[in-house]
Amino acid sequence: MEHVEEEPGFEAAADTLREYLPRDYTVQVNGKCRVSYSGRTQSKLDRGDRMILVKQDSALLVHGPDNYQPRNWQPEVDRWSVGTGDGALTIEARRLDPEEVVEIELSSIELVTVSQMVDESELKISGHEVDIHEAIEETPEIVEDGFNLVARERKTPAGYIDVLGRDMDGAMTVVEVKRNPDYNTALQLQRYVDEIEEEFSGDVRGILVAPKLSDEVDGYLNERGLEFVEVDMDDIIQDYKLQDSQSGLSDFGPEYSTG
Amino acid sequence: MEHVEEEPGFEAAADTLREYLPRDYTVQVNGKCRVSYSGRTQSKLDRGDRMILVKQDSALLVHGPDNYQPRNWQPEVDRWSVGTGDGALTIEARRLDPEEVVEIELSSIELVTVSQMVDESELKISGHEVDIHEAIEETPEIVEDGFNLVARERKTPAGYIDVLGRDMDGAMTVVEVKRNPDYNTALQLQRYVDEIEEEFSGDVRGILVAPKLSDEVDGYLNERGLEFVEVDMDDIIQDYKLQDSQSGLSDFGPEYSTG
DNA sequence: ACTTTCAGTTCGTTC
DNA sequence: GAACGAAGTGAAAGT
């Protein structure tokens, strides 16, 4: 940790920011501020306690005291401007494409920290939609007994079909895989079936493969003669279980609840 | 700021966490850690420098040195467990619905801070999709000269139609408004047109109103006889310009670029 | 560089 | 409480 400055003056904080913002440092500023954004839309946020975080790739986050998401942000900053005056420290974070700017007006500063973080490790994750695809390729009977895969990501005029195959009777079958299916998913599947029926001049089955389905969408599928196959995400995850899993957590204190 | 502890020992840090995590405090821990997640999917993240942020509504964020988004998170934690042992401090953040857990194993701690932030101010924003809707209601000629609005959010068996109206010749017209249109938008519009044609037994126009459109989707619209009207978001934003906008930023230092 | 699609999406609103 | 849809979506993968 290069710096930990508690309640610095505006000039001292500005010096630190001017030095470290444009370089590959993680900079944190806690304090009261107002924030305005102008670009793809416009927004304005009145004074409040916030934590400002500038990451080493110049990502800017303005976090409030709650919520997963920041109250304001700039995913990538091309040009910084730091100024003092009028009893405030101002930070302007400008991006060129798309052109947008976040302005922060700090009226008091509790803490400034500067550090360089090293994090080369990759996030290994299992349970994405692509894992369902791979599971189907490996064991096509997930879709149905006797199902045979013909193509993946097959292009049609209406977009890409996830999986194209034939059932045990040789009937052409369109399979749409979705982690979180919605109404559009059903429309999409219907459209694919129409496309393939036109191309092959014959009846085509359409199957949605997903972990769950709302009643409404299920009803739409039924009306249209489309089918639904439920997959258990636990099975998918278990097939691709992570190696080197953490173990031996020990000596826990008593559990306690939030609130 | 209640606490600023630089390089605390595991036991001291654990005491602080056990005291403040379950209450309405913003807690920050900087240090090297491994993270694993298990719930809707499974993920594993090896050791690296991270900033852990626990907000007053129990939202947990594990931020790395880059990127807008956290590397791991828990939007709402119901039960915390903090433990020490094996040269590490472990934090378990469990959520009950959906059931999922984030485990953090800290092998070194650089900084712990605890604070209570107050932020009551509301984010005022202009330029959402709903603002396009309102602009059309106010000045229907945005869609087309002579356009008359008949209904908004009209229900059909295929979902809700954004805007239903009649053009200057009295022809029924379905309008779909999208801030970020994609292929599904076109499918949806087509579906609505089909529904309304069936209901009114006559030709129905379909118009997509959006700030931009990819060539591919535009081509699909053309094939189907659907239309596209471009709206300038700047016009929309100006119609609903924010009051009390920030001004008088002064005494900026010289601008400098990232890199 | 642009387009398309997914996300442990999150978040809000509505039914 | 479930479900539907937007987001200043962001991020990754394919073209």
Side-chain angles (χ1 to χ4, degrees):
Chain A
M1 181 115 353
E2 322 294 325
H3 283 277
V4 177
E5 302 175 63
E6 290 188 62
E7 304 195 3
F10 289 137
E11 290 300 338
D15 286 346
T16 302
L17 293 177
R18 288 200 183 99
E19 178 173 359
Y20 290 106
L21 283 187
R23 296 158 63 193
D24 292 346
Y25 284 84
T26 299
V27 180
Q28 165 194 8
V29 179
N30 289 32
K32 282 190 207 306
C33 63
R34 297 200 291 160
V35 188
S36 71
Y37 164 81
S38 176
R40 284 171 283 180
T41 67
Q42 292 194 359
S43 75
K44 173 123 180 41
L45 184 61
D46 269 330
R47 200 189 315 285
D49 289 324
R50 316 265 154 65
M51 171 185 289
I52 301 163
L53 194 56
V54 179
K55 295 198 182 185
Q56 291 163 206
D57 62 348
S58 84
L60 165 71
L61 310 173
V62 181
H63 272 283
D66 55 17
N67 264 323
Y68 162 86
Q69 70 169 33
R71 311 236 20 200
N72 262 292
W73 69 95
Q74 189 77 285
E76 215 183 310
V77 176
D78 295 307
R79 208 168 60 211
W80 297 100
S81 299
V82 176
T84 56
D86 268 341
L89 184 154
T90 56
I91 302 170
E92 186 188 273
R94 189 172 291 276
R95 189 191 199 183
L96 301 179
D97 183 32
E99 186 168 326
E100 49 189 354
V101 57
V102 171
E103 285 180 341
I104 303 170
E105 186 190 288
L106 278 151
S107 55
S108 74
I109 304 177
E110 281 201 41
L111 180 72
V112 173
T113 76
V114 176
S115 63
Q116 263 185 322
M117 295 162 67
V118 178
D119 182 3
E120 301 295 333
S121 44
E122 214 175 329
L123 181 68
K124 293 164 202 149
I125 198 165
S126 165
H128 283 294
E129 182 177 309
V130 64
D131 295 318
I132 306 178
H133 284 243
E134 284 169 16
I136 288 176
E137 250 183 73
E138 198 172 293
T139 47
E141 52 265 30
I142 289 175
V143 177
E144 177 176 273
D145 278 347
F147 180 78
N148 277 298
L149 198 141
V150 174
R152 261 190 65 178
E153 300 296 323
R154 186 178 188 285
K155 191 177 176 109
T156 79
Y160 287 86
I161 292 177
D162 283 339
V163 175
L164 192 62
R166 289 187 184 277
D167 67 14
M168 63 189 312
D169 300 322
M172 192 62 80
T173 305
V174 174
V175 177
E176 174 75 12
V177 177
K178 272 277 187 279
R179 183 71 160 78
N180 297 304
D182 59 9
Y183 206 94
N184 288 327
T185 309
L187 292 182
Q188 218 171 354
L189 177 57
Q190 177 64 54
R191 187 93 194 92
Y192 292 152
V193 168
D194 290 346
E195 289 284 349
I196 296 297
E197 282 187 336
E198 202 170 311
E199 187 175 333
F200 287 84
S201 310
D203 275 2
V204 172
R205 294 175 61 194
I207 302 179
L208 170 60
V209 176
K212 58 186 166 55
L213 194 64
S214 73
D215 290 344
E216 192 123 12
V217 178
D218 193 40
Y220 176 83
L221 290 179
N222 289 334
E223 274 174 32
R224 293 271 165 168
L226 301 171
E227 302 163 58
F228 170 59
V229 168
E230 186 176 334
V231 287
D232 188 341
M233 283 313 289
D234 289 342
D235 295 344
I236 304 293
I237 293 173
Q238 281 183 358
D239 281 356
Y240 294 83
K241 191 158 241 163
L242 298 169
Q243 303 306 310
D244 188 26
S245 71
Q246 198 169 341
S247 64
L249 300 184
S250 59
D251 199 16
F252 270 94
E255 294 183 339
Y256 38 89
S257 295
T258 298
Chain B
M1 182 119 347
E2 322 293 324
H3 283 277
V4 178
E5 302 175 62
E6 291 187 62
E7 305 195 2
F10 289 136
E11 290 300 339
D15 286 345
T16 302
L17 293 177
R18 289 199 182 102
E19 178 174 0
Y20 290 106
L21 283 188
R23 295 159 62 193
D24 290 347
Y25 284 84
T26 299
V27 180
Q28 164 195 9
V29 180
N30 289 31
K32 284 191 207 304
C33 64
R34 299 199 291 161
V35 188
S36 71
Y37 163 81
S38 177
R40 284 171 284 180
T41 66
Q42 291 195 358
S43 76
K44 173 124 183 35
L45 184 60
D46 270 328
R47 200 188 315 284
D49 290 324
R50 316 265 155 64
M51 171 186 287
I52 300 163
L53 193 56
V54 179
K55 296 197 181 185
Q56 291 164 206
D57 62 347
S58 83
L60 165 71
L61 310 173
V62 181
H63 272 283
D66 55 18
N67 265 321
Y68 161 87
Q69 70 168 34
R71 308 228 35 195
N72 263 290
W73 69 94
Q74 189 78 284
E76 216 182 309
V77 176
D78 295 306
R79 207 167 60 209
W80 297 100
S81 299
V82 176
T84 55
D86 268 342
L89 184 155
T90 55
I91 302 170
E92 188 187 271
R94 189 173 293 275
R95 189 192 200 183
L96 299 180
D97 184 31
E99 186 168 326
E100 49 189 352
V101 57
V102 171
E103 285 181 340
I104 303 170
E105 185 191 288
L106 278 150
S107 54
S108 74
I109 303 176
E110 281 202 42
L111 181 71
V112 173
T113 76
V114 177
S115 63
Q116 261 184 326
M117 294 162 68
V118 178
D119 182 3
E120 302 294 335
S121 44
E122 215 175 328
L123 181 67
K124 293 163 202 150
I125 198 163
S126 162
H128 283 290
E129 183 178 307
V130 65
D131 295 319
I132 306 178
H133 284 243
E134 284 170 16
I136 288 176
E137 249 183 74
E138 197 172 294
T139 47
E141 52 267 29
I142 288 175
V143 176
E144 178 176 273
D145 278 346
F147 179 77
N148 278 298
L149 198 140
V150 173
R152 261 189 68 178
E153 300 297 324
R154 186 179 189 287
K155 191 178 175 106
T156 79
Y160 287 85
I161 292 176
D162 283 337
V163 175
L164 192 62
R166 290 188 184 275
D167 67 13
M168 61 190 309
D169 300 324
M172 194 60 83
T173 304
V174 174
V175 177
E176 172 76 12
V177 177
K178 271 277 188 282
R179 183 73 160 75
N180 297 303
D182 61 9
Y183 211 95
N184 285 327
T185 310
L187 292 182
Q188 219 169 352
L189 177 56
Q190 176 65 55
R191 187 96 190 87
Y192 293 150
V193 168
D194 290 347
E195 289 285 348
I196 297 298
E197 282 187 335
E198 203 170 310
E199 187 174 333
F200 287 83
S201 309
D203 275 2
V204 172
R205 294 175 61 194
I207 301 179
L208 169 62
V209 176
K212 59 186 164 58
L213 193 65
S214 74
D215 290 345
E216 193 121 12
V217 177
D218 192 40
Y220 178 83
L221 289 179
N222 289 333
E223 274 174 34
R224 293 273 164 168
L226 302 171
E227 302 162 59
F228 169 60
V229 169
E230 187 176 334
V231 287
D232 188 341
M233 282 313 287
D234 289 342
D235 296 342
I236 305 293
I237 293 174
Q238 281 182 358
D239 281 355
Y240 295 84
K241 191 159 243 163
L242 298 169
Q243 305 306 313
D244 187 27
S245 71
Q246 198 170 343
S247 65
L249 299 185
S250 60
D251 197 17
F252 271 94
E255 294 183 340
Y256 37 88
S257 297
T258 300

